Each structure stands twice: as structure tokens, then as C-alpha cells.
């Protein structure tokens, strides 16, 4: 009855939210009616919604969209907190309903297993998964004991509901098998319960476990567990894998497959070190069949390990249940159960699109051939973006996947959504995607074609949502930087923006909203991608409970940044505008333009000469390194002079009067701006009409000016603020110099003079107004899309 119960809960939640609302449409709202009679009815009649439910709510949207819009606005304006809670609850309930409905096919498969074991194969009437009684499988011997299996999942906590469903199915099919399901977060909140389950376990099954504390604690709990299977996790934990005589014991004793198997493994893949794990995936498909012909118990046990991995890798309810039936019968407590069917396969890689549900294209080339005929943005010339998706999210029908693709298209981007396991991300980028730049190098003979396919799809940017390094996948997470040179080679050849945009799978939405991105989540989302060569990172959403939700505002942010990166790439070099921020920390001690072990003046001169050679417009600046001798020191001298308090207090007029000193002989001019408190408010304020549609299921609905409120809570009212780098009139000064299309300034103070480390270590210290004003002025007012360089790295602010 679970589906019926969920529907009742949805109906009740909708009714409780809207049943007490009464609406009379104002004239301007009724003006959009299709005819005069309808307009008068809408305007004069008071509308009530006493018996509204899910079906009536959907019907209202089809028959009377004006009234539905007024109803939604009334509910939202009545109580924003309650409205946000309603949105989150309804999304969760509908997600559960969708997943439960999609399990019908899996339930049919499981029932078929039971019926086949009884010799009663027959057609099944349409039933609800949780309403159908499941006949236990017949065993040839009576099970002598309960088999206890503990499953702990990490980055795939979105599969907790799936695994719990598998536990219930196992209990019905084979009552002697007990499966306990935990996520890695339970080790922190329910550690005693997890420890007790492990203490009597026959088998631990772990997946995607990376958190250091979790890994270390688990390693100490596994000594007495006979069978340990850990997949795509920290190497220290995968080293505990043991099943029969096969082990990955890190001590080196009986480690890895036997020599004959290693020989077979060597035949898969390209022979490149970075493709080794991809070769393993190819081996998984036919490995168990090949191992039948290799003698010895170790080969037999390795075959069991590969079979179990194959079930898990394919995913889905029937595969998970079959996996544990197979494992129990082969290694834990044989009871004469019938052999479960082989894994139900889904593609290892492929492309998908919401317009073709259930269809997978085998390659980006095949997908783009379809898109050229039927794609929503075909023929528009919109930027084409390679979008790497995590296969497990695709095969488990995570709703955010379809939402992400659809919203990127709505934002004017053509996505090429390629799903992968993780380990083959680099092979897809290297072999099946290309760029105009890479094709020009191949045509000129400067770059060999290598493994690049002739039908590779040209893209303008790459976006990875998989949450793992480009090379190595989950294994690369634990070996940060090991394959950085391989990633650098691939990305350099393509020479397009590489952006990481992933949902948070370690933190939930509540902790993200309250504390920001922290710990291991920060390492995975920011640090490791930077080693690969990512130039931008945008978190897309995160967990609410064990479900992944998208924050639409974040997708808008991602799409905007990709558009600007592509626009910048397409713009002629001479038209590109840049900003160069020089180091200046700690404040007030003469650190402007300094850097450890770096001659900043000379570096600045070399950078300017290189920019000239590359075609950037730098005004009247003379060409050649020798002609710029002394320019670096002259610019630094001018920037330091601009920091003098009396000059600063006079604002932009003071900077202009000061001039550029000796740097003027090279054509350098002073360039400063003042940002008023009102301008800063506007730059930091989101649209007032934004609500749950834009913000998604975060724990509260932010006010449009919440950034301003946080700043004023720390630094005082903006109108009366007279503090760091403010002028006598109360404006916020952004000083600098200009040479052609290049603006040069000093990074805003990161701390407070006399206490320079305060901003770095005081968690709740919001950046001061002039800090925000500097970057928002550069981003929104002076340049729009632009490149900002700082300490040798490229950023777009």
C-alpha cells in the first residue's frame, strides 16, 4: 500500500497548504483571460479550494493558469517559511512516489525468479511493487543459521532507499538472509548500532567510502568479518577486501589475482597507465566467463568477486538482490537456492536527453546526429558543452539529471550529456570530444590524432558533474595529482574551459546553507579539480535526507559562467578586457606588489610583453621586453602612492590628481572608481521575486538582500560606514591604473591592519564592504565578462 499511502500524503499536504485560501483576482490579473466573459467571472468570483488534492491541483494548472498563479502567490506571501517547507516536503514525497513506481519492473523480475524456482513461470498482472506477496525461494536444504550482511555506502547515499528495498525483498525471498543498510553518516550519528551490526556480521559490503575518519574506524572493525567487499573507495579500505582465497591484503601476502589472471587483464585496455582502470571495466563483462577456464581456487574466488562487482556496477533493485543471493549461496551459507539470473545490463557509457526518455545513444557523435534533427536548440549556434554525468545517478533515475539538462538548454546551452562510471572520464574527453583548437593543431601536423575518433564532437566547454578527478575516477580521489600531467595534456590539447559543477554528496543542503562547504567536500569539489586544470567550480545542489536535489539558481549561475567563458574565447584577443590583481598581504606593512621568491616588477614586465605578442590591446605601450625596462617598478610605485590615506579619502578625484607618476611615459593612466552604498546594495541583492523555484529545497527561503544583511551585521549600516578604504563622502574606492584594455590594481585587504589574520580565521567574519565592492565593480560594472589574473592563475570573477 505504500504508493497509495504516498498519494494520500501528497493530497493531504496540498490540501493543508491551499484549502484555507480565498482569492478574488485583481483586474490586472484577470486581464489575461481568453475572453470577456471569463475575465468577468475571474474578477468577480471569490475562489475557494476546500477539496483540492494533487489531481485537482494539476487540473487547475491546465484549465485556469491565471488562478493557479494567484493561488501560488497567495500561499507564498502568507508564510514564506511554511511555503518553503511545503515545497521541500512535496518534492520529497513525489520523488519517493516516482521511485516506487519505477521499481515495478524490478519487482516483476524478482517475482519471476521466485516463480521460476517453483517451476511456475506465468504472466503477471499489473501490481504495485509493495502490494504483491512474494513467494520465498525453495531451498534444497534447510538453512542452519541467519546470514548477516552489513552494507555501508558513502558517496552513493542516494541509493539508501534502493538498498533498503533490496533488504525487504531478500527477507521475503530468503528469510535467512538479513541485510542491514547504513550510510557513512550513520557512523558518526549511530556508531554503536553500526558497531553492533559489524560485530556479528558474515559480510561487509562497502561502496564509495572516502572520509578519513570513516575509513580509519571501519578498518578497526573488520578483523573478525569473514567476507569483506569494498568497491571504489579509499585504497586503505579496498585493501581489506577478502572473499575465499582471494584478497587485496596490503601486506603483500596472497595479494591480487594469480599470474594467469594478470595475463588476461593485460589484454584489456589501451596499454596506457591512465587507461588501466578502464580496461578493468571491459574485463568485468567477460571476465567471469574467461575465469571458468583458469584452474585453482583463487581464480574461482576472483570470479566470484568479479560477479559481485558486476551486479553492483549494473545497479537496480533486481541486480542488488541477485548479488546478495549469489554471494550467500557461493560463499556465506549455501542452502541450495536456485542460481540467480546474470546481471541485467545497462550501458557503461552513453548519452541521454529528456526529450527521449529511456533512450541511450552509444556515443556523442550519434547523440549529436539526433540533436541536429530534433534537438531543441538545433541550428541556433548556441555554445556546445560536453557534460560528464555519473552513471550511477543516471541508472538510478536521479531526477536532477533531467532537470540539469533541461535547464542548461533553457539557459541557451547545447549540452552533450555523457554518462560514465568515473574511471573512463578522460577517455571520453580524449577520444570522443574535440574542439576547433585541437582540430586546427591536427590539421597543421602539430598534434598527432592518436586515439581521437574521426567523428568526435566539437565542444566549446567541458562541465564535469561526476565529483571525481578527470583521470582515475574514484581511485583518483585518493591519489590527488598522480595523473595531473595526463589531465593537463588532454585539456591543453582541447584548450576549452573545464568547469566542475557537482551536487554535494558528503554534506547535506542544511549544513551547506548554514556553514558553507567544508572538509572533505571542499577537497573533492575545489582542490582536486584544480590539480586537474579546472578553472571554475559551481556546486549544483546537494542531499536532502538521502535524495539529491538541484538548486536552480546554481544552474543559472553555471550556465551564465559558461556563456561568459565561451564569449571570452570567441572574442578577438585585441577586444578582451583584463584585470590584474597584485598581491598585498599583510596590509599596512609595505607588502604591496611582493610575493615569496618572485620578482614582481620583472614578472609584470614579462607578462605585459607576452600579452602584446599574443595580440592583447595595451594602448600606447611600446613593444619588446627591453622597451618595458623599469615599467614594473613604476607601476608598483604608483599603486603604493594610491594607498596614502589623504589621497584615498578624496576618492577617484584624488587618484586622478595623483596621476600615474613615472609610469605615464609608457602610457599608463590612473583609473579608479567609487561605488556608492546604494550601488553596492543593488550589486549584492537578488531579484525580489525569487522563491522556491529558484532557490530549491534549502532549509530556509533567503531574503533577496541577505548578503547585505550579513555584511551590515558585521560592519554596520552601509550608508554610515566609514572604514576600510572608504572615502570622506562614504563611497567605497576601487583604485588602480589602466593601460589599454588592462586594468591593474592591488587585491583588496584580506584582513584588518593590526590584525591581518582575522578575516582568514574568524569563520563568521563577512568580507568588508570595499572588498565586495571591488570585485562586484569589476565583474558587473567595468568589464562584465573578463579575465582576472592573480599570482599566475586565471580567474573570471
Amino acid at each position: 500500500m505504500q504508493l497509495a499511502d504516498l498519494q494520500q500524503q501528497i493530497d493531504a499536504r496540498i490540501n493543508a497548504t491551499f484549502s484555507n485560501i480565498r482569492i478574488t483576482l485583481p483586474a490586472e490579473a484577470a486581464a489575461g483571460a481568453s475572453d470577456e466573459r471569463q475575465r468577468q467571472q475571474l474578477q468577480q468570483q471569490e475562489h475557494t479550494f476546500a477539496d483540492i488534492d494533487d489531481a485537482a491541483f494539476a487540473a487547475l494548472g491546465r484549465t485556469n493558469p491565471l488562478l493557479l498563479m494567484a493561488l501560488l502567490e497567495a500561499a507564498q506571501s502568507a508564510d514564506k517559511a511554511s511555503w518553503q517547507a511545503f515545497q521541500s516536503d512535496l518534492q520529497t514525497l513525489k520523488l519517493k512516489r516516482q521511485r516506487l513506481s519505477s521499481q515495478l519492473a524490478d519487482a516483476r523480475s524478482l517475482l519471476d525468479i521466485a516463480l521460476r524456482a517453483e517451476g511456475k513461470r506465468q504472466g503477471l498482472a499489473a501490481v504495485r511493487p509493495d502490494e504483491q506477496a512474494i513467494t520465498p525461494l525453495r531451498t534444497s536444504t534447510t538453512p542452519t543459521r541467519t546470514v548477516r550482511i552489513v552494507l555501508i555506502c558513502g558517496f552513493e547515499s542516494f541509493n539508501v532507499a534502493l538498498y533498503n528495498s533490496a533488504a525487504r525483498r531478500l527477507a521475503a525471498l530468503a528469510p535467512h538472509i538479513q541485510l542491514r543498510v547504513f550510510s557513512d553518516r550513520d557512523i558518526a550519528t549511530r556508531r554503536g548500532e553500526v558497531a553492533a551490526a559489524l560485530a556479528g556480521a558474515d559480510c561487509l559490503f562497502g561502496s564509495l567510502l572516502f572520509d578519513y575518519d570513516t575509513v580509519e574506524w571501519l578498518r578497526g572493525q573488520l578483523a573478525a568479518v569473514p567476507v569483506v567487499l569494498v568497491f571504489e573507495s579509499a585504497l586503505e579500505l579496498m585493501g581489506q577486501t577478502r572473499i575465499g582465497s582471494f584478497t587485496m591484503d596490503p601486506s603483500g601476502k596472497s595479494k591480487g589475482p594469480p599470474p594467469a589472471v594478470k595475463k588476461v587483464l593485460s589484454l584489456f585496455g589501451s596499454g596506457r597507465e591512465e587507461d588501466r582502470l578502464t580496461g578493468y571495466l571491459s574485463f568485468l563483462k567477460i571476465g567471469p566467463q574467461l575465469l571458468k577456464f583458469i584452474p585453482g581456487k583463487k581464480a574461482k574466488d576472483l570470479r566470484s568477486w568479479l560477479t559481485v562487482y558486476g551486479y553492483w556496477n549494473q545497479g537496480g533493485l533486481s541486480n542488488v538482490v541477485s548479488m546478495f543471493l549469489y554471494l550467500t549461496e557461493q560463499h556465506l551459507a549455501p542452502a541450495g537456492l536456485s542460481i540467480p539470473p546474470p546481471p541485467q545490463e545497462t550501458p557503461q557509457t552513453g548519452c541521454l536527453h529528456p526529450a527521449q526518455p529511456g533512450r541511450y545513444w552509444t556515443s556523442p557523435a550519434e547523440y549529436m546526429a539526433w540533436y541536429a534533427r530534433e534537438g531543441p536548440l538545433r541550428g541556433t549556434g548556441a555554445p556546445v558543452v560536453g557534460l560528464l554525468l555519473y552513471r550511477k545517478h543516471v541508472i538510478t533515475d536521479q531526477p536532477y539529471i533531467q532537470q540539469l539538462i533541461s535547464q542548461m538548454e533553457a539557459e541557451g546551452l547545447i549540452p552533450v550529456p555523457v554518462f560514465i562510471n568515473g574511471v573512463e572520464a578522460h577517455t571520453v574527453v580524449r577520444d570522443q570530444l574535440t574542439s576547433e583548437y585541437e582540430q586546427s593543431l591536427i590539421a597543421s601536423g602539430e598534434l598527432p590524432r592518436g586515439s581521437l575518433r574521426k567523428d568526435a564532437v566539437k565542444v566549446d566547454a567541458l562541465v564535469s558533474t561526476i565529483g571525481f578527478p578527470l583521470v582515475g575516477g574514484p581511485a583518483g580521489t585518493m591519489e590527488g595529482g598522480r595523473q595531473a600531467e595526463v589531465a593537463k595534456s588532454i585539456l591543453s590539447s582541447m584548450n576549452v574551459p573545464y568547469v566542475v559543477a557537482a551536487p554535494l554528496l558528503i554534506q547535506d543542503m542544511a549544513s551547506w546553507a548554514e556553514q558553507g562547504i567544508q572538509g572533505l567536500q571542499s577537497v573533492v569539489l575545489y582542490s582536486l579539480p584544480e590539480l586537474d586544470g579546472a578553472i571554475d567550480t559551481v556546486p549544483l545542489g546537494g542531499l536532502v535526507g538521502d535524495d539529491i536535489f538541484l538548486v536552480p539558481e546554481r544552474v543559472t549561475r553555471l550556465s551564465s559562467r559558461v556563456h561568459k567563458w565561451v564569449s571570452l574565447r570567441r572574442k578577438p584577443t585585441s577586444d578582451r578586457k583584463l584585470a590584474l590583481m597584485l598581491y598585498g598581504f599583510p596590509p599596512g606593512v609595505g607588502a604591496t606588489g611582493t610575493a615569496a621568491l618572485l620578482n614582481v616588477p620583472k614578472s609584470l614586465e614579462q607578462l605585459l610583453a607576452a600579452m602584446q605578442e599574443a595580440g592583447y590591446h595595451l594602448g600606447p605601450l611600446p613593444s619588446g621586453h627591453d622597451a618595458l625596462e623599469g615599467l614594473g617598478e613604476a607601476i608598483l610605485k604608483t599603486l603604493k602612492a594610491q594607498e596614502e590615506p589623504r589621497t584615498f579619502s578624496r576618492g577617484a578625484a584624488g587618484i586622478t590628481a595623483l596621476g600615474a607618476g613615472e609610469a605615464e611615459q609608457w602610457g599608463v593612466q590612473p583609473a579608479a572608481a567609487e561605488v556608492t552604498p546604494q550601488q553596492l546594495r543593488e550589486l549584492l541583492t537578488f531579484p525580489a521575486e525569487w522563491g522556491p523555484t529558484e532557490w530549491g529545497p534549502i532549509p530556509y527561503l533567503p531574503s533577496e538582500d541577505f548578503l547585505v544583511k550579513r555584511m551590515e551585521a558585521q560592519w554596520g549600516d552601509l550608508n554610515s560606514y566609514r572604514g576600510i578604504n572608504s572615502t570622506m563622502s562614504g563611497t567605497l574606492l576601487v583604485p588602480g591604473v589602466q593601460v589599454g584594455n588592462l586594468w591593474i590594481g592591488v587585491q583588496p585587504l584580506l584582513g584588518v591592519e593590526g590584525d591581518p589574520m582575522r578575516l582568514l580565521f574568524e569563520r563568521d567574519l563577512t568580507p568588508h564592504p570595499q572588498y565586495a565592492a571591488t570585485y562586484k565593480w569589476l565583474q558587473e560594472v567595468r568589464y562584465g565578462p573578463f579575465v582576472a589574473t592573480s599570482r599566475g592563475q586565471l580567474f573570471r570573477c
Side-chain angles (χ1 to χ4, degrees):
M1 295 295 292
Q2 286 192 21
L3 273 176
D5 291 342
L6 282 171
Q7 187 59 57
Q8 288 179 2
Q9 292 179 51
I10 291 171
D11 290 340
R13 196 70 179 87
I14 290 175
N15 188 266
T17 301
F18 299 109
S19 60
N20 294 323
I21 296 177
R22 296 174 179 271
I23 295 175
T24 301
L25 289 181
E28 57 270 20
S34 58
D35 55 53
E36 178 64 21
R37 184 164 173 262
Q38 184 187 17
R39 185 191 66 77
Q40 291 180 357
Q41 286 180 340
L42 289 173
Q43 188 174 348
Q44 295 171 3
Q45 179 182 352
E46 182 181 64
H47 302 272
T48 59
F49 308 89
D51 298 320
I52 192 168
D53 59 11
D54 187 28
F57 188 78
L60 183 63
R62 294 190 298 270
T63 61
N64 204 331
L66 293 174
L67 185 58
L68 177 63
M69 185 179 299
L71 177 62
L72 295 175
E73 291 175 352
Q76 182 175 355
S77 60
D79 186 339
K80 285 189 175 183
S82 297
W83 174 253
Q84 174 60 32
F86 164 73
Q87 290 280 309
S88 180
D89 292 348
L90 196 65
Q91 283 180 308
T92 300
L93 289 170
K94 287 189 174 183
L95 181 63
K96 290 180 179 178
R97 183 181 65 180
Q98 174 187 343
R99 286 183 173 172
L100 197 56
S101 298
S102 69
Q103 288 170 3
L104 178 59
D106 287 322
R108 287 171 182 255
S109 176
L110 293 171
L111 289 168
D112 188 59
I113 295 172
L115 292 170
R116 183 174 61 184
E118 295 292 329
K120 299 177 181 177
R121 294 187 62 89
Q122 59 186 30
L124 298 174
V127 292
R128 293 174 175 173
D130 284 348
E131 291 182 346
Q132 174 68 33
I134 299 177
T135 304
L137 296 174
R138 177 173 293 174
T139 58
S140 60
T141 60
T142 301
T144 57
R145 65 182 182 87
T146 298
V147 176
R148 294 179 171 84
I149 303 172
V150 176
L151 185 153
I152 303 177
C153 56
F155 275 25
E156 62 162 345
S157 59
F158 55 87
N159 268 336
V160 164
L162 169 70
Y163 291 140
N164 279 322
S165 293
R168 291 192 293 270
R169 295 295 191 277
L170 284 168
L173 288 168
H176 66 292
I177 301 177
Q178 180 190 89
L179 174 64
R180 296 289 306 279
V181 178
F182 301 97
S183 74
D184 55 351
R185 288 174 292 170
D186 292 326
I187 293 178
T189 59
R190 302 162 56 195
R191 178 165 295 190
E193 188 178 345
V194 179
L198 287 171
D202 297 290
C203 173
L204 167 73
F205 186 95
S207 60
L208 297 169
L209 297 163
F210 296 103
D211 179 73
Y212 177 81
D213 293 332
T214 296
V215 169
E216 288 301 299
W217 183 81
L218 274 176
R219 289 177 66 190
Q221 306 295 312
L222 299 181
V225 180
V227 175
V228 177
L229 296 163
V230 182
F231 296 122
E232 296 185 11
S233 299
L235 298 178
E236 296 87 347
L237 203 53
M238 288 197 296
Q240 302 294 316
T241 293
R242 51 184 176 270
I243 179 170
S245 61
F246 175 72
T247 178
M248 292 183 182
D249 184 354
S251 68
K253 298 178 180 178
S254 188
K255 182 179 178 180
V261 175
K262 288 182 179 180
K263 177 63 177 177
V264 173
L265 281 173
S266 68
L267 301 177
F268 291 83
S270 65
R272 298 173 177 172
E273 167 65 19
E274 64 267 23
D275 291 356
R276 184 162 48 90
L277 291 174
T278 306
Y280 285 170
L281 286 180
S282 301
F283 174 71
L284 282 174
K285 190 169 183 178
I286 64 172
Q289 285 73 36
L290 290 176
L291 290 173
K292 290 180 182 178
F293 306 104
I294 297 179
K297 187 175 188 307
K298 193 169 186 179
K300 177 179 179 294
D301 293 334
L302 174 58
R303 181 185 176 212
S304 294
W305 178 83
L306 286 169
T307 301
V308 170
Y309 184 87
Y311 279 119
W312 175 76
N313 182 259
Q314 292 299 334
L317 183 60
S318 61
N319 281 330
V320 172
V321 172
S322 295
M323 174 181 72
F324 287 117
L325 291 173
Y326 173 88
L327 180 62
T328 299
E329 192 63 23
Q330 294 294 318
H331 287 277
L332 300 180
L337 293 171
S338 60
I339 299 175
Q344 295 183 6
E345 294 188 2
T346 53
Q348 292 296 317
T349 65
C351 298
L352 73 159
H353 193 278
Q356 297 280 314
R359 179 179 180 181
Y360 298 129
W361 290 269
T362 59
S363 68
E366 183 181 302
Y367 166 85
M368 287 304 288
W370 166 82
Y371 203 98
R373 298 189 306 271
E374 303 178 39
L377 297 182
R378 62 188 181 278
T380 61
V384 179
V385 181
L387 181 64
L388 302 180
L389 303 171
Y390 189 34
R391 176 177 171 273
K392 281 194 172 294
H393 292 176
V394 172
I395 65 176
T396 54
D397 295 323
Q398 295 299 315
Y400 90 89
I401 296 288
Q402 309 287 353
Q403 296 167 11
L404 173 61
I405 296 170
S406 297
Q407 190 173 344
M408 288 181 70
E409 281 184 327
E411 300 282 351
L413 299 172
I414 297 177
V416 184
V418 188
F419 60 86
I420 52 178
N421 285 287
V423 300
E424 67 275 76
H426 68 287
T427 65
V428 170
V429 174
R430 182 191 66 203
D431 301 341
Q432 301 188 51
L433 300 176
T434 186
S435 65
E436 289 283 357
Y437 179 82
E438 185 174 38
Q439 290 297 313
S440 68
L441 293 183
I442 293 173
S444 66
E446 297 178 57
L447 182 71
R449 174 171 290 277
S451 56
L452 180 66
R453 291 168 51 161
K454 291 185 178 180
D455 63 354
V457 171
K458 292 179 183 178
V459 297
D460 298 295
L462 289 170
V463 174
S464 173
T465 72
I466 60 175
F468 301 121
L470 184 65
V471 182
T477 302
M478 304 309 296
E479 300 179 316
R482 179 172 178 264
Q483 300 284 4
E485 287 303 314
V486 178
K488 177 182 177 182
S489 173
I490 295 171
L491 294 173
S492 297
S493 296
M494 292 190 69
N495 197 22
V496 297
Y498 174 53
V499 179
V500 169
L504 309 184
L505 299 179
I506 302 175
Q507 290 182 242
D508 58 18
M509 296 276 279
S511 67
W512 177 26
E514 294 168 4
Q515 302 171 349
I517 297 173
Q518 299 179 319
L520 180 60
Q521 185 70 77
S522 176
V523 172
V524 170
L525 192 62
Y526 294 107
S527 303
L528 293 179
E530 186 175 345
L531 294 176
D532 273 351
I535 56 174
D536 215 344
T537 298
V538 180
L540 291 179
L543 294 170
V544 178
D546 292 315
D547 297 318
I548 303 173
F549 282 90
L550 202 67
V551 177
E553 180 272 337
R554 294 284 84 195
V555 184
T556 298
R557 178 76 165 174
L558 166 67
S559 301
S560 171
R561 295 174 83 87
V562 170
H563 268 297
K564 291 176 180 178
W565 276 117
V566 174
S567 174
L568 190 64
R569 169 56 55 86
R570 292 178 174 178
K571 182 176 294 187
T573 305
S574 60
D575 293 341
R576 296 175 187 171
K577 299 176 182 179
L578 299 95
L580 175 64
M581 304 296 285
L582 298 181
Y583 191 76
F585 184 84
V589 294
T592 298
T594 62
L597 304 178
L598 179 66
N599 186 329
V600 173
K602 289 298 181 184
S603 298
L604 180 55
E605 292 167 8
Q606 291 186 15
L607 175 62
L608 293 174
M611 289 175 62
Q612 278 189 318
E613 293 174 2
Y616 287 92
H617 172 61
L618 298 182
L621 202 66
S623 60
H625 289 75
D626 294 341
L628 303 183
E629 182 74 28
L631 175 58
E633 288 286 2
I635 290 177
L636 288 182
K637 186 176 180 180
T638 299
L639 293 174
K640 290 178 181 179
Q642 291 179 352
E643 296 175 350
E644 200 277 323
R646 285 177 297 180
T647 300
F648 214 98
S649 65
R650 294 175 58 198
I655 299 296
T656 301
L658 178 67
E662 297 175 4
E664 290 185 359
Q665 63 181 293
W666 283 276
V668 178
Q669 297 295 322
E674 295 180 41
V675 179
T676 67
Q678 181 58 32
Q679 286 175 322
L680 183 57
R681 287 179 189 277
E682 294 172 358
L683 290 170
L684 295 176
T685 299
F686 293 94
E689 65 273 14
W690 276 20
T693 301
E694 291 78 20
W695 289 113
I698 58 179
Y700 60 89
L701 191 64
S703 60
E704 65 273 12
D705 60 346
F706 77 97
L707 293 178
V708 176
K709 290 177 179 176
R710 285 179 57 181
M711 182 171 289
E712 291 187 324
Q714 185 67 54
W715 300 96
D717 181 75
L718 289 180
N719 291 326
S720 58
Y721 176 76
R722 299 294 186 276
I724 300 173
N725 290 356
S726 62
T727 68
M728 289 187 298
S729 62
T731 60
L732 302 161
L733 183 64
V734 184
V737 296
Q738 190 80 29
V739 51
N741 282 343
L742 174 66
W743 180 89
I744 305 174
V746 179
Q747 67 180 104
L749 296 182
L750 287 173
V752 180
E753 189 171 343
D755 189 6
M757 308 306 286
R758 181 181 173 200
L759 186 60
L760 297 180
F761 293 101
E762 189 172 331
R763 177 178 294 177
D764 297 327
L765 185 59
T766 301
H768 55 79
Q770 193 263 348
Y771 186 98
T774 298
Y775 287 111
K776 294 302 288 186
W777 174 77
L778 284 170
Q779 177 185 8
E780 305 287 351
V781 180
R782 188 172 185 89
Y783 288 149
F786 81 108
V787 174
T789 72
S790 173
R791 288 170 287 173
Q793 298 186 32
L794 291 178
F795 302 92
R796 184 189 57 75
C797 298

